[in-house]
Amino acid sequence: MSDKKYESLKIENIVASGVIAESIDLVELSSKVKNCELNKKRFPGAVYRIADPKIACLIFSSGKIVITGVRNDKALADGLAIVIKSLKDAGIEPLKKPQVAVTNMVCSYNLGRYINLNKLTVTLNVENVEYEPEQFPGLVFRIAEPKIVVLIFSSGKIILTGGKTLVDVKNGLDVLEKKLESVI
């Protein structure tokens, strides 16, 4: 597929996780860092919201972090730098080399045509497909390699999730397009 084919592919969200410190005193962190909230009755970690780039971070006392709301690699790097600086400013020692990696990408794509989901359900491998229109209006198609889950709607709009890189997502899209060729 040419890059033109991927024109409507859009990253909606990137989730990254990893370790940024050996341990973190969440009470201290939340008391010293603006926009960092801690409510142990509701959630075991601190929630740190950053305005620019607009992301949310879940920070745990174990030193682990989950970053969500990211739209590109630069936003992830910038957000992580802000978190590390905030830790230092709060007197918490971060790891010299934080180990944070993308764990999931959610992308949207428009096939640009109507899809007959009933026909598609019959054509695709039954064990990889879930389609219960009374429960959910989309067809769920699980691709084994790359490990991507695709939500397909009759409008031709799709959601791809599970990829760790844009290459994974594009490869999943290629697999889907090949499957769709046999339906149309």
Side-chain angles (χ1 to χ4, degrees), residues 48-153:
Y48 183 16
R49 288 179 174 71
I50 300 171
D52 187 23
K54 189 175 181 198
I55 61 174
C57 304
L58 307 176
I59 302 172
F60 300 93
S61 59
S62 63
K64 293 185 177 178
I65 186 170
V66 176
I67 303 171
T68 186
V70 180
R71 296 280 177 120
N72 55 50
D73 291 337
K74 184 181 181 325
L76 176 58
D78 292 351
L80 187 57
I82 291 168
V83 171
I84 297 300
K85 183 180 181 325
S86 297
L87 286 177
K88 288 178 181 174
D89 292 349
I92 298 164
E93 189 59 41
L95 294 175
K96 289 195 188 332
K97 288 195 174 189
Q99 307 285 307
V100 177
V102 173
T103 53
N104 185 27
M105 291 180 85
V106 179
C107 298
S108 62
Y109 184 76
N110 189 347
L111 292 164
R113 62 185 183 267
Y114 171 82
I115 304 293
N116 182 333
L117 297 180
N118 288 318
K119 188 175 178 183
L120 186 59
T121 302
V122 174
T123 308
L124 294 173
N125 187 344
V126 178
E127 61 193 45
N128 299 339
V129 174
E130 293 172 40
Y131 183 49
E132 305 266 345
E134 304 82 27
Q135 304 280 322
F136 181 71
L139 180 147
V140 179
F141 177 47
R142 297 178 193 285
I143 299 171
E145 191 55 44
K147 194 172 180 186
I148 302 280
V149 176
V150 185
L151 305 177
I152 308 167
F153 298 92

